[in-house]
Amino acid sequence: MGRLRGALVRPWVIGVLVVAVAGAGFGLYWFQPWKLWQDETVSEALPAGAASAPAPTASASASASASASPTPTAPTTLASGELISHEHATSGTVKLLRLADGSHVVRLERLDTSNGPDLRVWLTDAPVKEGRAGWHVFDDGRYVSLGKLKGNKGSQNYVLPEDVDPSRFSSVSIWCDRFDVSFGAAELARA
């Protein structure tokens, strides 16, 4: 009788162990807890505006205008805001910039947040709310994903697609797409 019981228990124990190992593997993949201790710092320069050559004057000679070098045009700040914390402690500044060529960029400066799985930068029309009330509001309305977060620390640039009208959006969120939660967000105050 003891042998029969041992033979019946053994497959059950093996099945439980297989399920436990598979569950642990899935949990590690899904949550990626090691990212909480890994920082990725990005230090991108402020985007340079498109170079524009000075307009020639009637008194300028051909050789003088040929040697004139284009002068870069600084980006124009259309809106900016300070990041507040939501699910994770988050700080830094967000700027919405228009470059000389007419394109738009969202710039994160001095970003400091936790690392996590599947973090994105979202331009949204949602209001920024403090505390838990603000964790889940950014996917309720209109939003545009500007791509994966390049690093959880530092300064970085995100180009807006050409067909996006930045005046239709009022906030930026560091969004965890895997868990549908905001790590932090900033209300964009127009300049």
Side-chain angles (χ1 to χ4, degrees):
M1 183 116 190
R3 289 179 139 179
L4 180 60
R5 178 183 245 170
L8 292 175
V9 170
R10 196 170 290 157
W12 180 81
V13 170
I14 291 171
V16 167
L17 286 175
V18 166
V19 168
V21 168
F26 177 76
L28 286 172
Y29 166 76
W30 190 253
F31 289 98
Q32 299 177 359
W34 57 87
K35 286 196 170 190
L36 292 174
W37 296 279
Q38 294 176 335
D39 288 331
E40 294 179 43
T41 302
V42 174
S43 296
E44 291 183 335
L46 184 69
S52 61
T57 60
S59 62
S61 67
S63 63
S65 63
S67 66
S69 62
T71 56
T73 305
T76 303
T77 301
L78 302 177
S80 63
E82 293 296 319
L83 287 162
I84 65 166
S85 299
H86 281 147
E87 171 71 20
H88 291 265
T90 302
S91 63
T93 302
V94 177
K95 291 182 180 178
L96 175 60
L97 304 171
R98 182 177 55 232
L99 304 182
D101 64 2
S103 64
H104 295 89
V105 170
V106 167
R107 178 162 172 82
L108 305 178
E109 292 182 338
R110 299 177 323 279
L111 173 66
D112 188 2
T113 191
S114 298
N115 206 342
D118 206 15
L119 294 180
R120 308 281 174 163
V121 176
W122 279 14
L123 185 62
T124 80
D125 66 352
V128 175
K129 299 177 183 177
E130 293 200 27
R132 291 184 67 94
W135 288 16
H136 302 283
V137 300
F138 298 100
D139 59 351
D140 293 344
R142 191 172 45 239
Y143 64 88
V144 175
S145 178
L146 302 179
K148 285 188 167 252
L149 186 68
K150 297 173 186 176
N152 64 309
K153 296 189 182 300
S155 297
Q156 45 210 275
N157 306 307
Y158 297 87
V159 177
L160 271 66
E162 288 183 23
D163 60 343
V164 172
D165 178 5
S167 67
R168 298 180 68 189
F169 299 94
S170 59
S171 59
V172 171
S173 174
I174 307 301
W175 185 258
C176 180
D177 217 18
R178 177 150 311 153
F179 295 106
D180 293 327
V181 68
S182 174
F183 273 34
E187 189 81 35
L188 293 173
R190 301 293 168 185

